[in-house]
Amino acid sequence: MKKPGGQSINFRDNARQALQNPTLRRAMRHATETFRNKRNDAIDGIPFEEWREQASELRKSIIGNINGYVDEFAVNATKRGAIVHRAKTAADARDLITAILKDNGAKSIVKSKSMVTEEIHLNKCLADLGFRVIETDLGEYIIQIAGETPSHIIVPAIHRSKEQIGQLFCEKLGCDFSDDPAVLTDTARKLLRQEFLSADAAISGANCYIANTGSIVLFTNEGNGRMVTTLPPLHIVVTSIEKALPSIDDLPLLMRLLPRSATGQVLTSYLSIISGQRMAYSTMDTKRLHIVLLDNGRSEIARGPYWEMLKCIKCGACMNVCPVYGMIGGHAYASTYPGPMGVILSTLLNGLENAHPLLDATTLCGACAEACPVKVPLLKLLYELREMRVAKGYNNTLEGVSMRGFGIAAKNAHIFRTGQASAGALWPLAGILSPVTVNRLPKPVKRTFRRRFS
Amino acid sequence: MRNEELIRIFMENASKVAAKPIRVEGSNKLNDILDEILANETSVYCPAKTELEKSVIIDVERRVEALENATSSVEEVVAGIAETGSIVVSSANGRALQTSLLPTYHVALLSADNIFASLDEFFKIMGNDLPTNVTFITGPSRTADIELTLTIGVHGPEKVSILVI
Ligand code: SF4
């Protein structure tokens, strides 16, 4: 079928290649299994359903008034001495950040993990301009020295085995080979300590920002996030507009849901609430805090039919339960955000024209939607976008016929359930797998998640 | 909730996240316990700002004034949260957040009166006028970035003891 133009992601070839990589397959199987078990243990014995209902309602009301919260936050953060910037596009954000660094004479930068900076391809831009940028989250550090991009939004180097990481450290850092995670972690600790103490500036993300106090909030485990936000004389926070919480009183709910869903922890080792600019460590110079709020199409998504995707709190739970992600890993998606949320968000951010092949990255089993702590209706959004893809003529005719059937079924809850039960017929990824692989794929659920829980 | 019950839940949950809570009965016992747990430490930093910190005795050979040179630190923390087993530090009154960050061993002094049952209760007391930095510490620093194998002690402390006084 002729495409209306534009270069689209070659998802099928990427997935095929990933499936032929036994190391990757092993790493992904181990990782997603471990994650699923931890998360299931963490939500055992707590009123998870009640909390996710509350969180879902809260996130819904936020997305409905997103620019209101951006304004309120900007006023309050400014009162506290922060300098707030709004970036309409990725290019605007890069220009703003570069200008802030130049104005402050900063050359070396330590970074803590931020998916929004991945979205705007900040590292490449800064490196091209001659800045020295060091990622300090262990996973980000590993992929930075490997020259890769994250393959998971929470654990960026999840696709690599400890032997591969040992070899990488050996080659790039000149240390002795070890495949002991504790030894490798210690190597990184020693090398990075100096970087924290000598950097001119820090760039971090934020898990959320609080409108009524002007605060930004960071959930971290390693302590690198605390280092970068308290040591260098300049701190630039880069985050996106949908990460608002109206009030500091809303934070406990997020504190209860995010770590449990992300890593199975009751709370991350560190949770920092940063409100305004601070005093310097050991001198009394006031330090500067800049906050860049990225829109990059989100205001428009918030107004459109797929606004529910913006409820996402970026916990990664949906990728950990996704049978497709669990087999191919994050790189096959060739976009910043992988897994079920990534398929949808990438399609919304980058356009159907570019991202439509990603809509094949699903078994339509619905496990993602069942895992989501803020009830993003991932399955519904996947169906709707796939329907849109058919309507715009981006895919094969067979699905076109099935999808037209779906369009009718989706309007009726009962038929929708029946349709889901036979989702095996619409199992898009199966077509690109060899017969051997297909036999080893988890079969589409016989009893759907929806039915088991209702 | 009764205070003793709150302390018990706090200590139980702090243990679950790999912190080491120790109950100190009577403030005269504080220095005995500190001597014991800091026996192998060569350099100890203590800000000596609060009353509790001022009561801490560290011999001159081991006491360091610069935080960067300390392998361990002793400081009073502002709160404990029973629900999560967390302790809370803050930048209020010019306190350095790095006391709980740079040394490999962090010893927190927590007054039992400052233990809150839940996160909500703590935030209610905090109000909206927050200090520049409020940080919840839940166990030692950790990572699972390599094959999801838990490794304790990355950039922050690898050991956290909480003396509940
Ligand atoms: S869509 Fe839901 S499960 Fe997936 S990352 Fe977002 S919040 Fe987590």
Side-chain angles (χ1 to χ4, degrees):
Chain A
M1 170 174 289
K2 196 174 173 318
K3 282 181 293 184
Q7 187 68 39
S8 61
I9 294 167
N10 200 345
F11 175 69
R12 281 177 181 246
D13 281 350
N14 296 350
R16 203 175 279 125
Q17 263 173 33
L19 288 168
Q20 284 159 3
N21 179 343
T23 319
L24 176 72
R25 295 284 300 276
R26 216 178 307 117
M28 293 315 299
R29 193 157 46 226
H30 167 71
T32 48
E33 231 176 73
T34 312
F35 258 142
R36 280 198 302 269
N37 293 339
K38 282 192 176 175
R39 178 234 173 223
N40 290 346
D41 289 348
I43 63 166
D44 197 35
I46 57 158
F48 185 67
E49 281 307 314
E50 200 182 298
W51 291 352
R52 71 196 280 253
E53 187 57 47
Q54 276 174 30
S56 168
E57 285 305 309
L58 176 67
R59 292 294 298 154
K60 184 173 157 185
S61 72
I62 293 163
I63 304 309
N65 178 27
I66 203 164
N67 281 302
Y69 291 116
V70 171
D71 291 343
E72 189 185 345
F73 170 77
V75 169
N76 289 322
T78 308
K79 269 190 210 151
R80 299 294 306 250
I83 303 159
V84 181
H85 311 262
R86 298 174 203 211
K88 198 161 186 297
T89 65
D92 291 349
R94 289 192 299 264
D95 290 348
L96 271 164
I97 296 162
T98 313
I100 299 167
L101 290 168
K102 283 188 178 151
D103 285 352
N104 286 277
K107 294 203 166 56
S108 66
I109 300 139
V110 280
K111 269 188 81 202
S112 81
K113 199 169 132 2
S114 151
M115 288 307 293
V116 173
T117 62
E118 297 285 348
E119 180 182 324
I120 64 173
H121 305 292
L122 183 63
N123 284 7
K124 187 181 178 305
C125 156
L126 293 181
D128 289 349
L129 292 169
F131 292 97
R132 180 166 184 271
V133 185
I134 309 277
E135 291 285 354
T136 64
D137 169 84
L138 182 58
E140 287 281 349
Y141 183 64
I142 292 167
I143 60 167
Q144 185 180 39
I145 57 179
E148 293 176 329
T149 54
S151 68
H152 189 284
I153 61 172
I154 305 287
V155 272
I158 201 170
H159 57 286
R160 284 187 160 253
S161 69
K162 55 181 191 285
E163 291 82 10
Q164 288 176 326
I165 295 169
Q167 262 149 23
L168 179 75
F169 274 31
C170 200
E171 273 165 38
K172 300 276 164 117
L173 306 175
C175 52
D176 291 338
F177 174 81
S178 167
D179 60 5
D180 179 352
V183 174
L184 295 168
T185 302
D186 194 51
T187 304
R189 175 193 172 105
K190 293 202 176 98
L191 285 168
L192 289 171
R193 180 60 68 107
Q194 273 321 305
E195 303 286 352
F196 291 127
L197 293 168
S198 63
D200 303 326
I203 298 177
S204 79
N207 295 89
C208 65
Y209 65 87
I210 315 258
N212 78 335
T213 59
S215 319
I216 63 113
V217 182
L218 282 164
F219 291 72
T220 64
N221 273 312
E222 298 177 1
N224 64 313
R226 292 188 63 198
M227 294 277 184
V228 308
T229 57
T230 58
L231 292 171
L234 167 68
H235 176 198
I236 306 172
V237 179
V238 188
T239 191
S240 48
I241 58 166
E242 84 282 12
K243 293 191 180 177
L245 285 185
S247 147
I248 189 81
D249 300 329
D250 298 316
L251 188 56
L253 186 59
L254 191 72
M255 287 168 80
R256 291 186 181 110
L257 284 173
L258 181 56
R260 282 184 170 91
S261 303
T263 54
Q265 290 173 283
V266 170
L267 196 55
T268 45
S269 295
Y270 304 115
L271 175 128
S272 294
I273 306 166
I274 297 169
S275 313
Q277 61 179 11
R278 70 214 141 92
M279 294 299 160
Y281 166 61
S282 73
T283 74
M284 287 306 282
D285 289 337
T286 301
K287 301 206 173 180
R288 277 169 301 272
L289 175 65
H290 287 261
I291 302 168
V292 178
L293 292 170
L294 176 72
D295 189 310
N296 209 18
R298 286 166 173 83
S299 292
E300 206 173 309
I301 298 172
R303 283 190 297 266
Y306 310 109
W307 63 272
E308 281 162 301
M309 193 58 237
L310 295 181
K311 283 162 70 184
C312 172
I313 55 170
K314 311 270 164 28
C315 73
C318 56
M319 48 202 78
N320 300 335
V321 297
C322 175
V324 178
Y325 177 84
M327 293 188 73
I328 61 175
H331 287 153
Y333 296 76
S335 43
T336 307
Y337 306 98
M341 66 77 91
V343 166
I344 299 164
L345 195 58
S346 306
T347 308
L348 298 177
L349 290 175
N350 305 333
L352 205 52
E353 179 174 303
N354 171 271
H356 70 88
L358 291 180
L359 292 165
D360 284 333
T362 172
T363 68
L364 301 173
C365 72
C368 48
E370 296 294 337
C372 178
V374 291
K375 292 191 155 182
V376 175
L378 293 154
L379 184 64
K380 185 187 100 178
L381 293 171
L382 280 169
Y383 271 122
E384 284 173 2
L385 285 171
R386 287 165 61 101
E387 207 176 356
M388 173 67 77
R389 173 169 74 162
V390 174
K392 294 256 161 106
Y394 280 110
N395 70 323
N396 60 60
T397 12
L398 185 67
E399 187 179 33
V401 175
S402 320
M403 290 308 285
R404 272 194 290 282
F406 173 75
I408 302 159
K411 295 189 179 72
N412 177 306
H414 171 69
I415 305 176
F416 180 67
R417 270 193 282 278
T418 323
Q420 232 182 305
S422 60
L426 279 174
W427 205 22
L429 191 72
I432 61 166
L433 307 179
S434 69
V436 185
T437 337
V438 170
N439 286 335
R440 290 173 50 198
L441 261 170
K443 293 287 182 293
V445 272
K446 288 231 176 60
R447 288 196 309 135
T448 63
F449 283 85
R450 189 181 286 274
R451 201 177 294 164
R452 253 185 279 159
F453 287 98
S454 56
Chain B
M1 210 181 298
R2 272 184 44 242
N3 205 25
E4 280 308 313
E5 176 66 357
L6 213 55
I7 296 173
R8 191 191 61 72
I9 298 173
F10 170 78
M11 291 182 59
E12 191 180 303
N13 286 333
S15 306
K16 279 189 199 154
V17 293
K20 292 193 175 53
I22 303 167
R23 186 72 203 271
V24 184
E25 311 271 4
S27 55
N28 51 337
K29 292 270 171 56
L30 175 63
N31 281 300
D32 294 348
I33 294 175
L34 282 174
D35 278 349
E36 202 181 304
I37 61 175
L38 294 171
N40 297 325
E41 296 299 317
T42 48
S43 50
V44 185
Y45 173 82
C46 177
K49 282 197 178 138
T50 70
E51 286 309 311
L52 210 48
E53 287 166 355
K54 282 180 191 155
S55 71
V56 170
I57 305 165
I58 297 158
D59 29 286
V60 275
E61 306 89 77
R62 299 201 294 164
R63 185 162 196 142
V64 293
E65 296 305 323
L67 187 50
E68 298 96 312
N69 304 329
T71 57
S72 56
S73 61
V74 181
E75 66 162 344
E76 183 170 3
V77 296
V78 294
I81 313 287
E83 175 185 353
T84 54
S86 316
I87 49 176
V88 184
V89 295
S90 120
S91 61
N93 306 317
R95 293 191 66 96
L97 267 304
Q98 295 84 356
T99 310
S100 55
L101 183 64
L102 292 174
T104 44
Y105 186 15
H106 178 224
V107 181
L109 311 179
L110 171 64
S111 161
D113 295 339
N114 293 335
I115 299 179
F116 294 82
S118 67
L119 294 166
D120 311 77
E121 221 174 83
F122 173 78
F123 281 111
K124 213 188 291 153
I125 302 289
M126 282 287 285
N128 285 352
D129 197 12
L130 300 166
T132 308
N133 190 318
V134 177
T135 294
F136 290 69
I137 301 174
T138 309
S141 79
R142 66 188 71 209
T143 185
D145 272 353
I146 300 176
E147 289 199 0
L148 290 183
T149 307
L150 179 68
T151 307
I152 298 280
V154 195
H155 303 295
E158 55 186 53
K159 239 169 40 173
V160 177
S161 291
I162 307 166
L163 308 193
V164 182
I165 297 146

